[in-house]
Amino acid sequence: MNKNKKTLKVVQIVCLLAATLFMLIQMYSLKGIAARAHYSFVRFMPNMLHNATIMIVPMVFGAVYSKKKQSVSESFKYWLMAIVTLIVYYILFFIKVPGRFNMWRVFGMLFPIITSTSVLFAGLFFSMLVQPRLYDLQHKLTEKQNLLVLSILTLLGFALSAGNLTFQYSLYGLYLILFFAWGMFLANVEIKGKVLALALLNGLVSFFVVVIGVSGFDAVYWSQIISGNGGGDWNREFLNNPSSPFMFLLVVAAFLLFKKIIMTFSEKQVRYFIPVIMLMDAPISNRFMNAFRFTGSSVINKLIMIVIMIIIAIIWDQLLERYLFKLKPCIKVIDYLNHESSLAKICEKVWQIFTRFIIRNRINLLTWAWFYILSFGSFLIESDNLRIQISTAATINAIVYLLGTKFFAIILTTIFLDALFSIFYFITTRYWTSNMLVSLIAIGWAIANKIKLLLRGEPIYPTEISEIVNWKTLLPMVGKKLVIVILIAIVIIIALDVFLELKFTIKKHGSWKKRGIWALISLLLFMTPLRFNHDGGVIYHINRGFDNRQKFRNPERDIQVNGPVLNFLNYIDLQIMDQPATGYSASTIKQLNDKYSKVANRINKNRKNDLQKQTIVFNLSESFVDPNTFPTIKFERSAPNPVKFIESMKSRSSYGTMLSAGYGGGTANMEWETLTGLNMGLFKSTLTPYVQVVPNYDFYPTIGMNFDYKSAVHPFIGTYYSRREDYRRFKFNKFVYAGSKYKIIDQKKLGKSGYNSDFTTYANGLHQINSRKGGQFINLISIQNHMPYNNWYPHNEYMGKISGDLFNTPAVREQMATYVKGTQYTDKAVKQFIGQIDKIKKPITLVFYGDHYPSIISQSYTAKYPVQMHSTRYFIYSNKYAREHGAKTRLPRKANNFVSSSDFIAMMLEQTDSKVTPYQALLTEVHKKLPAITINFDGDKGYELIGRKGQVIDPKYLTKKQQELLSDYETIQYDMTAGKAYGLGIKGFYK
């Protein structure tokens, strides 16, 4: 007898381990592995495995729980085990992969049924709730009646759904009650001999029907799609679905095969599978499992992790059973549920507890609700007539967008407002006064930011708080009417506060010690913004988990999606650059000035021209890349070369490849590099200097400061990247943009495009060139080739004539054809512009460059083609008059193949044969003696060095002199980005 018990125990353990392995292997996404198989039917096996699991598990549970009626306490135990398992599991996940922390995941962790964390768990939870009713019903019906009812429901489920039940949401867990009921029924039916053999045969036949049928119907589905005869409205895997009769027969056969063993399990033993199910179905599982690396083999890594997870599951079940249900609160609830069988009375009891909690905490809850409304209102104030711009070409309803996608950012703002309230309440001990102060600050701050947005196109930065002392000059900007309205509002709020404090006095519960503790915690909370931008820190990840993700590219959009409170806090401590290891001080910068003054003198001995007498045009061509250089692209022979003229510049200009610090965006970063000579790669983390750096200085040095007159022309919106304000800091004399006081001439849009064409850009550039007799600097920015690429142009000869491995969908090919046609128009506009400046009798040099790749090809391919997909075309052309007066036709080829946009100042000065300042001498040395510097293409931190042929160069191979030169360059960049701008105080260093 003992031997039989031991044998049974061994068999049970083996079955439990096998079942655990069967389930935990699904933590990995097996679809990718299956998709690489030689046989098409293998691609559908992962789905088959999953669907079989969510069918047979409820049947097993139904069989085990068929012996007696259960109390509601069993469902509570399931829920408790699931919640505790998820909490521990998610905490471990966030520790291992902190970058994946977000509050939506926390919400899913705490409310697994509401958020559909696991349909299988929801099905078991629902099944246990109705188990007593199923038990009574099945015992009332005869065996044949039970079989008939269950069979009809099974067939009806398939007939009504046609295999379209996706089982993605907890609601579908109700359907799994059917399999639970089958398990209860089959557990009490004797199936032997021929009937059992027939059931097993049906299961085997059903397996082949599903395997062969799914592959076959998949082929039919795609043939219909390709032929244009529909097919998109039906499920090609309808045979491989929990509602499929064939899948049901397959699962029943498996159940009957192991029925004897299944019936030996106890309720406690099957309860072990609740944590296993949560591990299997949790949305984080695949990423968590893949986060561990033990060996170089992914297969071995997976096997090791599965073994580890099986061991953890076994230990975890023992801990839960031994300790969880013995906690006093749990014992109390379980005892109550064991003695109360009515679900209605249980719900009534829960409702009573809930209402008592609401009544007892009504003041706090109403206060939090009010602060949430305040937070939401502050977000709406920053919107543009209740619209938020989600891209350059599309806006969306602000209410829908904020509540749908920025819910937790509003919550985070609410937390900060409540923290401010706690501080005020501790100081004043007056509820209404504290509430009014918070409300006044929240709304007032939102309005103040909105006023600055309307006046200057940017929010209030922390560096500007000191401007409050200049209130006499600020008030006229606001306007007398608005000042009067604000004063009246303040008087009304004060009167309302006095009235509420006298007539409706509220005293919150808690001693002064408790309030003091909350006030202290609140003060500590206001210290957290000091770590918001410290990449990798706990506060950094928690902050981003609340969806507070500042992009620092479009200040207006940032404040709309993050709100005025979080937007301000995000700028408090920007991580720009680490202080140079060699030391940083005013004397350090002076020493560098002395050092490079000598280099400048050496360079200037051989140069004749004065830069300020030249006309220099820096032309940023939006998203311009030579289409022929796209990875894998192929054009049909009949398609003309779209950039024939620009390619011809190779023989009559300095021509080559520019390394871009962006992909699909970040225009202002490349613009900043070209104007300043500084480099994005030297920053500590991803940022946008126009928004995060330049506003910290009253004056910011650019190449334009070397001219008596400098201007910018951009036939588009002028507020992006704080350009209006930053150009003032650059001391530009003029900025022409859509809506400015300077009229944009010759506005011309091509086809259905909403952007002004490059012909318009160059017409305005030419107008500015001709408007002055002497030298000048012009920053000319086009917009024509900006995304999106929605088939703007009629008679597009590139449509249908583009192919390649990265252009594998009709949508991508259409976008690419639109883009290529746009570059052809750019080519024609450039040709026309070059012809026009060649006729002008003054020295003009054009620095033409594309800022970044268009966002057509998926950015995921940048890992495969890092340098190529961060490379654009550039050329530096000096007109005929300039060449006649000392300018070079082109610089040596070897020196300009791969360059950074920060090299353009040095290259332009050399081509125009212009004298240099000490700073420009440093830039010249950097260009000539160092590989091209750019961002790290493998991540968002640090720099990368690219050789003249496009090869990545490890910094350790730099010579000692090169390392010293790079260190000097970093020191100067630190001075003008994170430092005290000592260089500006040295006469002649920049200008």
Side-chain angles (χ1 to χ4, degrees):
M1 192 70 176
N2 290 332
K3 187 177 180 181
N4 290 336
K5 284 184 178 180
K6 287 182 179 179
T7 303
L8 177 61
K9 194 72 175 175
V10 171
V11 171
Q12 285 181 332
I13 292 172
V14 171
C15 288
L16 284 172
L17 290 174
T20 305
L21 175 63
F22 179 78
M23 296 170 74
L24 290 184
I25 198 172
Q26 297 179 57
M27 293 176 73
Y28 285 105
S29 179
L30 303 176
K31 291 182 180 179
I33 298 171
R36 295 192 290 270
H38 294 294
Y39 302 101
S40 61
F41 71 85
V42 177
R43 287 184 283 130
F44 307 101
M45 295 304 286
N47 269 351
M48 194 172 178
L49 177 68
H50 179 70
N51 291 334
T53 303
I54 66 174
M55 294 170 74
I56 198 167
V57 171
M59 291 178 73
V60 171
F61 273 69
V64 173
Y65 283 95
S66 67
K67 299 162 189 175
K68 64 177 183 179
K69 292 173 69 172
Q70 298 292 321
S71 71
V72 181
S73 66
E74 195 68 13
S75 293
F76 174 72
K77 288 178 181 178
Y78 282 12
W79 178 82
L80 205 57
M81 293 176 78
I83 289 293
V84 173
T85 300
L86 284 176
I87 290 173
V88 174
Y89 189 30
Y90 272 68
I91 289 173
L92 292 173
F93 173 74
F94 294 143
I95 292 171
K96 180 63 180 176
V97 195
R100 294 295 170 177
F101 173 81
N102 69 61
M103 288 305 296
W104 290 112
R105 286 195 171 98
V106 174
F107 193 69
M109 172 187 78
L110 298 175
F111 304 98
I113 294 178
I114 294 175
T115 56
S116 302
T117 298
S118 171
V119 177
L120 178 53
F121 168 74
L124 294 174
F125 181 80
F126 296 148
S127 296
M128 290 310 302
L129 285 176
V130 300
Q131 190 272 349
R133 281 75 188 167
L134 287 175
Y135 184 88
D136 290 339
L137 179 62
Q138 289 195 350
H139 280 78
K140 285 181 182 179
L141 301 177
T142 65
E143 187 178 298
K144 288 184 178 179
Q145 288 173 334
N146 271 303
L147 180 63
L148 182 63
V149 170
L150 291 172
S151 298
I152 289 172
L153 289 174
T154 303
L155 291 172
L156 193 63
F158 178 72
L160 293 177
S161 71
N164 273 315
L165 293 181
T166 57
F167 291 86
Q168 294 176 341
Y169 308 105
S170 291
L171 187 64
Y172 289 106
L174 294 171
Y175 189 84
L176 301 186
I177 296 173
L178 177 62
F179 302 117
F180 186 87
W182 269 111
M184 291 180 67
F185 169 69
L186 292 174
N188 297 296
V189 176
E190 284 286 332
I191 301 177
K192 294 181 179 180
K194 292 182 179 179
V195 178
L196 178 60
L198 182 62
L200 296 177
L201 179 62
N202 283 335
L204 184 62
V205 172
S206 296
F207 173 78
F208 287 108
V209 169
V210 173
V211 169
I212 297 170
V214 171
S215 299
F217 281 113
D218 184 64
V220 173
Y221 172 87
W222 284 110
S223 66
Q224 289 181 345
I225 292 290
I226 293 169
S227 63
N229 295 324
D233 56 349
W234 63 286
N235 178 15
R236 62 191 187 276
E237 289 189 51
F238 70 96
L239 294 177
N240 180 14
N241 189 276
S243 65
S244 165
F246 295 100
M247 281 294 294
F248 173 72
L249 291 173
L250 190 158
V251 169
V252 167
F255 175 85
L256 293 176
L257 195 63
F258 295 99
K259 178 183 173 182
K260 285 186 179 180
I261 300 171
I262 291 169
M263 295 308 298
T264 64
F265 286 111
S266 66
E267 296 164 3
K268 181 180 177 181
Q269 284 175 311
V270 295
R271 205 156 53 213
Y272 151 82
F273 284 107
I274 296 301
V276 174
I277 290 167
M278 302 319 296
L279 295 176
M280 175 185 76
D281 280 346
I284 63 171
S285 290
N286 182 51
R287 193 173 295 278
F288 180 76
M289 295 287 278
N290 283 310
F292 294 89
R293 297 285 187 273
F294 304 103
T295 70
S297 170
S298 62
V299 175
I300 294 175
N301 286 332
K302 287 179 171 62
L303 291 174
I304 293 173
M305 273 307 297
I306 289 171
V307 171
I308 291 172
M309 294 304 290
I310 290 173
I311 295 170
I312 290 173
I314 294 169
I315 296 172
W316 182 242
D317 175 65
Q318 296 299 314
L319 291 173
L320 292 177
E321 291 288 346
R322 180 171 295 183
Y323 299 109
L324 181 62
F325 303 136
K326 293 180 181 178
L327 297 173
K328 285 185 178 180
C330 296
I331 292 173
K332 190 175 179 180
V333 175
I334 291 169
D335 185 59
Y336 167 75
L337 295 176
N338 282 334
H339 293 87
E340 181 56 75
S341 59
S342 172
L343 280 175
K345 289 184 178 179
I346 292 171
C347 291
E348 185 180 344
K349 181 71 173 178
V350 172
W351 179 253
Q352 288 174 356
I353 295 170
F354 176 72
T355 52
R356 280 201 301 268
F357 172 81
I358 294 294
I359 292 169
R360 188 167 59 251
N361 296 281
R362 63 188 182 279
I363 299 300
N364 285 334
L365 293 173
L366 288 172
T367 304
W368 293 335
W370 169 241
F371 289 157
Y372 184 85
I373 293 170
L374 272 181
S375 302
F376 184 53
S378 69
F379 276 70
L380 291 180
I381 287 171
E382 309 307 333
S383 66
D384 186 9
N385 295 320
L386 296 183
R387 305 289 294 181
I388 288 178
Q389 190 167 51
I390 57 173
S391 72
T392 55
T395 62
I396 194 171
N397 182 279
I399 296 173
V400 174
Y401 176 80
L402 292 172
L403 292 178
T405 63
K406 303 296 290 186
F407 177 79
F408 284 109
I410 301 172
I411 290 287
L412 184 57
T413 301
T414 304
I415 292 172
F416 275 103
L417 293 183
D418 187 65
L420 189 61
F421 171 83
S422 296
I423 296 170
F424 286 153
Y425 189 67
F426 175 74
I427 296 170
T428 67
T429 70
R430 302 280 183 176
Y431 174 84
W432 290 113
T433 300
S434 303
N435 198 317
M436 290 290 182
L437 281 172
V438 172
S439 302
L440 187 63
I441 289 170
I443 298 302
W445 183 251
I447 292 172
N449 274 274
K450 184 64 176 180
I451 291 171
K452 187 162 185 254
L453 278 174
L454 293 173
L455 291 175
R456 299 171 67 175
E458 61 183 8
I460 299 171
Y461 299 115
T463 53
E464 297 172 319
I465 292 298
S466 59
E467 291 297 315
I468 197 70
V469 298
N470 299 319
W471 60 272
K472 290 183 179 180
T473 57
L474 291 174
L475 288 180
M477 297 181 189
V478 175
K480 290 183 179 179
K481 290 183 179 179
L482 187 55
V483 171
I484 293 170
V485 170
I486 291 171
L487 291 174
I488 292 172
I490 291 173
V491 171
I492 292 172
I493 289 170
I494 292 172
L496 181 62
D497 177 45
V498 173
F499 172 76
L500 291 171
E501 288 288 0
L502 293 174
K503 293 292 184 180
F504 301 96
T505 304
I506 293 176
K507 289 291 182 182
K508 292 184 71 182
H509 298 296
S511 63
W512 69 270
K513 288 183 179 180
K514 185 178 179 181
R515 295 198 305 271
I517 291 171
W518 274 113
L520 180 60
I521 292 172
S522 298
L523 283 171
L524 292 175
L525 178 67
F526 277 102
M527 300 295 288
T528 59
L530 295 174
R531 308 295 297 178
F532 272 8
N533 299 306
H534 288 247
D535 193 355
V538 174
I539 292 173
Y540 171 85
H541 291 301
I542 292 175
N543 174 53
R544 292 176 70 83
F546 274 91
D547 205 23
N548 179 25
R549 296 168 180 263
Q550 195 90 356
K551 294 187 176 178
F552 303 108
R553 290 183 176 177
N554 185 340
E556 185 173 2
R557 183 182 182 277
D558 277 345
I559 196 172
Q560 287 179 349
V561 299
N562 293 321
V565 174
L566 297 181
N567 188 79
F568 180 81
L569 296 178
N570 287 335
Y571 281 92
I572 285 179
D573 183 42
L574 298 176
Q575 294 300 292
I576 298 173
M577 289 181 72
D578 289 329
Q579 188 167 312
T582 53
Y584 171 70
S585 63
S587 62
T588 304
I589 303 302
K590 187 179 183 306
Q591 288 171 13
L592 290 176
N593 174 63
D594 295 340
K595 178 179 179 179
Y596 288 98
S597 291
K598 295 175 183 177
V599 177
N601 291 333
R602 188 178 69 244
I603 293 172
N604 291 338
K605 284 181 181 180
N606 299 314
R607 295 197 181 178
K608 300 176 181 178
N609 289 332
D610 186 353
L611 181 60
Q612 67 176 355
K613 294 180 181 179
Q614 307 279 323
T615 294
I616 306 297
V617 181
F618 274 24
N619 174 205
L620 185 156
S621 185
E622 173 62 47
S623 299
F624 182 85
V625 179
D626 182 343
N628 298 295
T629 65
F630 273 70
T632 78
I633 195 168
K634 296 176 183 176
F635 290 94
E636 289 188 10
R637 289 186 178 181
S638 59
N641 182 358
V643 289
K644 185 177 180 180
F645 177 78
I646 290 176
E647 284 191 357
S648 74
M649 297 300 290
K650 186 183 297 185
S651 61
R652 50 201 182 111
S653 70
S654 301
Y655 176 97
T657 302
M658 184 201 86
L659 295 165
S660 172
Y663 175 83
T667 296
N669 292 344
M670 278 62 74
E671 184 184 342
W672 176 82
E673 285 190 332
T674 60
L675 294 178
T676 65
L678 304 176
N679 196 282
M680 293 296 300
L682 300 184
F683 287 130
K684 186 176 180 180
S685 59
T686 302
L687 53 82
T688 301
Y690 268 20
V691 180
Q692 292 171 276
V693 174
V694 177
N696 296 332
Y697 301 88
D698 294 328
F699 169 69
Y700 206 84
T702 67
I703 185 62
M705 70 186 293
N706 293 275
F707 297 82
D708 293 333
Y709 193 89
K710 45 269 183 189
S711 62
V713 178
H714 182 37
F716 190 57
I717 301 167
T719 55
Y720 278 112
Y721 300 106
S722 294
R723 277 196 180 97
R724 288 190 308 184
E725 283 305 301
D726 285 350
Y727 286 168
R728 290 192 186 105
R729 295 177 180 110
F730 297 161
K731 304 303 180 187
F732 279 16
N733 302 87
K734 181 179 181 182
F735 180 24
V736 182
Y737 62 92
S740 70
K741 64 181 180 180
Y742 306 104
K743 184 180 178 182
I744 297 175
I745 65 170
D746 293 344
Q747 294 196 43
K748 179 181 180 182
K749 296 176 181 179
L750 304 172
K752 298 177 182 178
S753 174
Y755 299 123
N756 275 316
S757 70
D758 283 354
F759 293 100
T760 298
T761 301
Y762 291 122
N764 283 269
L766 188 67
H767 179 72
Q768 180 58 40
I769 289 172
N770 290 327
S771 67
R772 297 188 64 81
K773 291 183 179 180
Q776 62 174 312
F777 175 79
I778 303 170
N779 190 40
L780 187 63
I781 310 168
S782 73
I783 191 64
Q784 174 190 291
N785 294 320
H786 198 286
M787 66 173 294
Y789 307 100
N790 295 338
N791 194 12
W792 305 128
Y793 311 117
H795 314 298
N796 187 347
E797 62 266 48
Y798 301 100
M799 199 64 69
K801 296 183 180 180
I802 294 173
S803 61
D805 295 341
L806 304 191
F807 306 88
N808 49 11
T809 67
V812 169
R813 287 193 290 271
E814 181 181 283
Q815 289 180 59
M816 193 62 196
T818 302
Y819 172 76
V820 173
K821 183 64 178 177
T823 62
Q824 186 189 57
Y825 282 125
T826 298
D827 192 68
K828 292 178 179 178
V830 169
K831 181 179 181 180
Q832 178 178 297
F833 185 60
I834 293 290
Q836 290 166 331
I837 64 174
D838 265 340
K839 297 176 183 177
I840 298 175
K841 299 297 182 181
K842 61 180 177 181
I844 303 171
T845 294
L846 171 68
V847 179
F848 171 96
Y849 64 99
D851 57 340
H852 55 69
Y853 252 68
S855 55
I856 297 173
I857 299 175
S858 172
Q859 192 167 357
S860 62
Y861 290 112
T862 56
K864 188 175 182 180
Y865 306 98
V867 175
Q868 193 171 353
M869 289 180 67
H870 285 91
S871 299
T872 67
R873 182 66 66 225
Y874 84 89
F875 66 79
I876 303 175
Y877 176 76
S878 296
N879 71 343
K880 185 179 180 182
Y881 188 90
R883 296 195 303 273
E884 290 173 350
H885 292 79
K888 298 177 175 64
T889 300
R890 62 173 180 261
L891 300 176
R893 290 274 172 86
K894 290 182 180 180
N896 62 14
N897 194 18
F898 274 88
V899 302
S900 172
S901 48
S902 58
D903 288 320
F904 287 153
I905 291 176
M907 295 171 70
M908 175 274 295
L909 290 166
E910 183 180 1
Q911 178 153 324
T912 57
D913 200 36
S914 298
K915 297 182 184 295
V916 300
T917 65
Y919 173 65
Q920 292 163 356
L922 168 63
L923 296 183
T924 302
E925 292 287 279
V926 168
H927 168 61
K928 287 184 172 294
K929 296 181 178 179
L930 289 178
I933 306 169
T934 187
I935 60 168
N936 182 354
F937 295 142
D938 292 330
D940 62 352
K941 300 175 188 175
Y943 62 87
E944 197 156 69
L945 301 175
I946 305 296
R948 304 303 183 192
K949 296 182 179 179
Q951 76 278 23
V952 177
I953 297 175
D954 194 318
K956 69 182 181 182
Y957 293 118
L958 294 180
T959 65
K960 187 175 180 179
K961 286 188 176 181
Q962 285 178 313
Q963 290 174 354
E964 184 181 328
L965 174 59
L966 181 57
S967 177
D968 292 345
Y969 185 41
E970 286 180 304
T971 301
I972 294 300
Q973 177 154 326
Y974 179 85
D975 184 52
M976 271 319 304
T977 56
K980 299 184 182 297
Y982 293 127
L984 288 178
I986 300 175
K987 187 176 181 181
F989 180 68
Y990 286 108
K991 183 177 179 180

